[in-house]
């Protein structure tokens, strides 16, 4: 069992930055791929980024590539999402997930409760 707790969300102006953190419980963190997804009001959940268990393989969603950076610290059981050059369309609830490698929701077994990111224009 893995429990995930996101933090770092908030309100920021367009062009600004935020860093999200996701702290995981349990001793299997280093064996799990970690992903970030987001869901805007009235829209389906969208893949943002994923990082392999080793941290060596990373994939980004098209809409965030070049602006967001995912990283992990296995010693701290934490995965991060650095978000730069934020746009109003980045406004969403951001979810952290743990599981198998992939860019779709079914590939992840555990989910956090989400953290709200709001980007004002």
């Amino acid at each position: 069992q893995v429990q995930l707790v996101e933090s770092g969300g908030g309100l920021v102006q367009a062009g600004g930055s935020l860093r999200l953190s996701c702290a995981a419980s349990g001793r299997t963190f280093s064996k799990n791929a970690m992903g970030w997804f987001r869901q805007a009001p009235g829209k389906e959940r969208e893949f943002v980024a994923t990082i392999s268990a080793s941290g060596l393989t990373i994939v980004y969603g098209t809409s965030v590539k070049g602006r967001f950076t995912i990283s992990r610290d296995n010693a701290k059981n934490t995965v991060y999402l650095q978000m730069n050059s934020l746009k109003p369309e980045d406004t969403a609830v951001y979810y952290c997930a743990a599981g198998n490698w992939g860019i779709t929701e079914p590939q992840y077994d555990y989910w956090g409760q989400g953290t709200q990111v709001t980007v004002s224009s």
Side-chain angles (χ1 to χ4, degrees):
Q1 188 77 9
V2 176
Q3 292 185 326
L4 305 172
V5 179
E6 302 99 334
S7 61
L11 174 65
V12 64
Q13 288 188 332
S17 299
L18 280 176
R19 188 176 83 154
L20 305 183
S21 299
C22 174
S25 66
R27 292 176 287 181
T28 61
F29 176 80
S30 63
K31 298 180 181 180
N32 285 297
M34 299 297 297
W36 286 97
F37 291 76
R38 68 186 183 185
Q39 189 166 21
K43 295 187 177 181
E44 294 186 351
R45 196 171 295 188
E46 174 190 16
F47 166 73
V48 175
T50 185
I51 185 167
S52 63
S54 66
L56 296 179
T57 306
I58 291 172
V59 176
Y60 294 100
T62 304
S63 60
V64 307
K65 192 177 297 184
R67 299 187 298 121
F68 290 11
T69 302
I70 189 172
S71 62
R72 66 188 296 161
D73 186 337
N74 287 347
K76 295 182 178 180
N77 280 14
T78 302
V79 63
Y80 305 96
L81 185 69
Q82 177 67 43
M83 306 185 295
N84 298 329
S85 302
L86 283 161
K87 305 174 182 180
E89 51 264 44
D90 293 318
T91 295
V93 177
Y94 283 71
Y95 297 91
C96 170
N100 299 306
W101 171 256
I103 64 172
T104 61
E105 294 177 59
Q107 291 164 307
Y108 293 86
D109 301 310
Y110 304 101
W111 292 81
Q113 82 289 349
T115 185
Q116 176 70 47
V117 171
T118 303
V119 184
S120 63
S121 58

